[in-house]
Amino acid sequence: MAYDVITMGRIGVDLYPLQTGVPLPQVTSFGKFLGGSAANVAVAAARLGRRTAVITRTGDDPFGTYLHQALQGFGVDDRWVTAVPGLPTPVTFCEVFPPDDFPLYFYRQPKAPDLEIDAHELDLDAIRDARVFWVTGTGLSEEPSRTATLAALAHRAKAGVTVLDLDWRPMFWKDPDAARPFYAEALKHATVAVGNLDEVEVATGVREPDAAARALLDAGVEVAVVKQGPKGVLAVDRDGGRAEVPPLPVTVLNGLGAGDAFGGSLCHGLLEGWDLETVMRHANAAGAIVASRLECSSAMPALGEIEAALAAGAVR
């Protein structure tokens, strides 16, 4: 049976302070969570009842073992999560200063194992057959992951829903100015592009939301999703459909992970065949729910929680 969603890209261990409003030098206790955008999106979709798997790599170490156990616990198939001898599993720390300051500190040296995904080891048939295939811009930042990402996209040839999460992280690129051609190549093979204003500007050279959405459509996708922060989200499709949805009111505890919850719900809504506005409203609500919680992966909402937040008009 084909998977509903296969994601490919980043995984790691999130170590989040259990004290809010406290800088890292003064933090005394942390919580350990599954992290990484590709892993979190797979978890978010699984929480909504989808059959999911993730393609990524870890270190051959206890943190790598933990990530396998966490994925299995969330119902995500980990058969394509393999170890890279000699490289440590990445760890990410953050500081939590609600409502809008959450500095991230990535420890991915000397190289993250998830950038060692090799095209020759991919199950291309499973990738082609998945109803949704989700890749990230981080996967384009280094070889061999770059070639593997583009090979998977090319083999899939826009079958089903193929999502490129622009996922721009400048610290992951040795030469940030070189990123745009790789984004352009990936966009040729995607049907959906998702990114915030900074990310769409890197991918297209355009920052104004409507113009950026049009540029993404011109680059080859069928649906362009532009996150506008406090202004909400704009989605435009090639057939002229348009949805601009404001954010759902929420008291933010930790904004990290909200985008991944948005992504998992986006996958679910597209698979359900919902109209563009309904997809965006559910995805917005999913992101808001996670923003109200400290953790990311374990905070991903079930469908009933999303519907309750939409019915209430806010995250309670």
Side-chain angles (χ1 to χ4, degrees):
M1 181 187 298
Y3 290 88
D4 291 321
V5 180
I6 295 178
T7 67
M8 177 174 166
R10 212 163 66 240
I11 195 171
V13 176
D14 287 344
L15 294 175
Y16 285 177
L18 300 181
Q19 300 142 284
T20 62
V22 178
L24 276 181
Q26 280 73 55
V27 172
T28 58
S29 58
F30 295 85
K32 179 172 96 267
F33 306 101
L34 168 74
S37 59
N40 279 339
V41 170
V43 170
R47 190 63 61 87
L48 295 171
R50 296 299 175 178
R51 183 170 184 251
T52 71
V54 60
I55 302 168
T56 190
R57 307 198 74 182
T58 70
D60 186 12
D61 54 25
F63 275 150
T65 301
Y66 162 72
L67 293 176
H68 278 278
Q69 293 171 347
L71 287 168
Q72 293 165 10
F74 289 125
V76 177
D77 195 324
D78 64 341
R79 70 181 61 193
W80 297 306
V81 181
T82 57
V84 181
L87 290 180
T89 298
V91 174
T92 303
F93 288 87
C94 80
E95 293 175 302
V96 180
F97 297 107
D100 58 2
D101 187 19
F102 308 100
L104 278 169
Y105 303 90
F106 292 97
Y107 291 79
R108 291 167 60 86
Q109 291 81 26
K111 185 180 184 180
D114 54 63
L115 294 174
E116 285 292 312
I117 299 172
D118 192 290
H120 298 95
E121 298 172 355
L122 296 175
D123 187 337
L124 292 173
D125 290 339
I127 289 171
R128 184 194 59 230
D129 293 342
R131 298 176 67 194
V132 175
F133 180 53
W134 179 289
V135 298
T136 73
T138 294
L140 300 170
S141 64
E142 287 193 43
E143 294 290 3
S145 172
R146 178 184 299 146
T147 293
T149 300
L150 294 174
L153 288 169
H155 185 82
R156 185 165 167 84
K158 295 195 176 187
V161 176
T162 305
V163 183
L164 174 62
D165 176 1
L166 299 177
D167 188 40
W168 168 247
R169 305 281 184 173
M171 70 286 291
F172 294 166
W173 290 79
K174 295 177 181 176
D175 181 7
D177 293 335
R180 189 168 298 154
F182 298 119
Y183 276 104
E185 182 62 27
L187 285 165
K188 292 178 185 177
H189 304 290
T191 64
V192 181
V194 182
N196 62 30
L197 294 176
D198 291 336
E199 292 167 337
V200 298
E201 184 175 20
V202 168
T204 68
V206 181
R207 187 174 183 87
E208 194 279 323
D210 281 282
R214 173 51 54 189
L216 291 169
L217 294 176
D218 290 344
V221 303
E222 303 295 324
V223 179
V225 180
V226 181
K227 300 175 184 176
Q228 305 177 80
K231 289 186 64 179
V233 61
L234 168 68
V236 181
D237 66 31
R238 187 172 295 281
D239 297 328
R242 174 189 171 89
E244 191 159 13
V245 177
L248 202 64
V250 58
T251 299
V252 175
L253 177 59
N254 184 357
L256 303 172
D260 301 330
F262 181 102
S265 182
L266 172 68
C267 293
H268 177 72
L270 293 173
L271 289 172
E272 287 292 298
W274 293 339
D275 64 84
L276 203 55
E277 182 166 339
T278 301
V279 173
M280 292 303 113
R281 288 193 181 280
H282 276 72
N284 251 5
I289 289 168
V290 171
S292 74
R293 300 169 175 173
L294 175 64
E295 65 272 24
C296 293
S297 52
S298 56
M300 297 301 173
L303 184 59
E305 294 176 281
I306 295 172
E307 291 173 341
L310 289 170
V315 177
R316 303 299 186 191

